[in-house]
């Protein structure tokens, strides 16, 4: 080869080697593009958010509005609406109204009137103090009238030749004494021979009168009295 061509061949060989070396180098990794402005944030990357474990509590995003995270509130009634009250609250509480089953018998001088305890019943509250004005005029008109009335003898310590006893509406002891209705008992005083005690119903004949009987404290025990002429 001519000496002038030798440098040229060396240059070609060197260029060829450079091309081979450059083509064999690995490509440079592409850096992520950061759109955040400022020098301090240019080299920072945001780490991926880790999913919370089962026991972890998820943290709400600062951009989330309070209305989205808070539980749904209960609906409130509109103004003017009221909750329906129960039947016990709406039902008016009224006192028991006294109703007479039949008219009070008219007095019949010289005759005996058949009566029942319903005929001498009047309006009075339980355990209320008695006043003579509570008696209707029809019962007042029977004062001194001969009647016959049925009931039960109130038990006492005496069993034979009883001349004084309490006649009650039924065979319960609650018909006489504290808490009993004054119109459910009559104090009987017999003329002549007495009677023996019985648990069966009896009919007493005699003169009906109104006499007030009180205990030592002044509470009424009875207001009706009969001067009995016979018990059957």
């Amino acid at each position: 080869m001519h000496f002038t061509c030798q440098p040229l061949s060396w240059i070609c060989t060197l260029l060829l080697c450079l091309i081979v070396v450059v083509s064999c180098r690995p490509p440079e990794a592409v850096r992520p593009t950061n759109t955040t402005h400022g020098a301090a944030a240019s080299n920072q990357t945001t780490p991926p958010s880790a999913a919370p474990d089962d026991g972890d509590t998820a943290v709400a995003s600062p951009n989330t509005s309070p209305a989205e995270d808070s539980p749904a509130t209960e609906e409130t009634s509109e103004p003017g609406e009221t909750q329906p009250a129960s039947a016990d609250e709406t039902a008016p509480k009224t006192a028991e109204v006294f109703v007479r089953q039949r008219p009070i018998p008219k007095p019949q001088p010289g005759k005996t009137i058949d009566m029942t305890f319903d005929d001498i019943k009047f309006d009075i509250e339980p355990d209320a103090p008695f006043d003579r004005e509570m008696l209707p005029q029809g019962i007042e008109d029977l004062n001194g009238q001969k009647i016959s009335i049925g009931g039960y003898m109130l038990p006492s310590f005496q069993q034979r030749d009883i001349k004084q006893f309490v006649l009650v509406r039924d065979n319960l002891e609650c018909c006489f004494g504290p808490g009993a209705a004054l119109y459910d008992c009559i104090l009987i005083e017999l003329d002549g021979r007495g009677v023996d005690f019985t648990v069966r119903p009896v009919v007493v004949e005699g003169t009906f009168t109104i006499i007030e009987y009180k205990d030592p404290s002044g509470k009424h025990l009875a207001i009706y009295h009969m001067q009995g002429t016979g018990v059957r």
Side-chain angles (χ1 to χ4, degrees), residues 34-210:
N34 193 343
T35 58
T36 304
H37 298 284
S42 60
N43 296 326
Q44 296 180 359
T45 58
T46 303
S49 59
D53 296 336
D54 294 340
D56 296 338
T57 303
V59 180
S61 172
N63 296 328
T64 305
S65 61
E68 295 177 355
D69 291 342
S70 60
T73 57
E74 297 181 356
E75 297 182 358
T76 57
S77 302
E78 296 182 359
E81 293 184 355
T82 57
Q83 298 295 332
S86 61
D88 294 339
E89 296 176 353
T90 57
K93 297 181 180 180
T94 57
E96 182 180 356
V97 179
F98 171 76
V99 178
R100 186 174 296 280
Q101 299 297 328
R102 65 177 186 177
I104 301 173
K106 299 294 183 180
Q108 299 181 19
K111 295 183 179 181
T112 300
I113 303 175
D114 293 332
M115 294 179 54
T116 68
F117 277 95
D118 288 335
D119 296 327
I120 55 177
K121 185 177 181 179
F122 59 95
D123 191 8
I124 183 174
E125 295 294 330
D127 294 329
F130 172 75
D131 192 306
R132 186 68 177 259
E133 295 181 356
M134 295 179 176
L135 291 177
Q137 187 59 44
I139 296 179
E140 290 281 6
D141 294 341
L142 293 174
N143 193 20
Q145 173 67 46
K146 291 182 178 181
I147 68 171
S148 64
I149 188 170
Y152 292 84
M153 298 178 64
L154 187 70
S156 65
F157 63 91
Q158 189 175 356
Q159 299 293 317
R160 300 285 184 176
D161 194 23
I162 302 174
K163 292 186 177 181
Q164 186 180 47
F165 63 92
V166 177
L167 184 72
V168 295
R169 173 189 290 270
D170 52 45
N171 56 355
L172 299 178
E173 296 184 12
C174 61
C175 289
F176 178 76
L182 292 175
Y183 47 72
D184 281 344
C185 62
I186 303 175
L187 179 60
I188 307 295
E189 290 184 314
L190 295 177
D191 295 334
R193 183 176 179 273
V195 296
D196 297 337
F197 174 78
T198 178
V199 295
R200 296 181 179 182
V202 296
V203 176
V204 182
E205 294 180 358
T207 302
F208 176 79
T209 54
I210 301 173

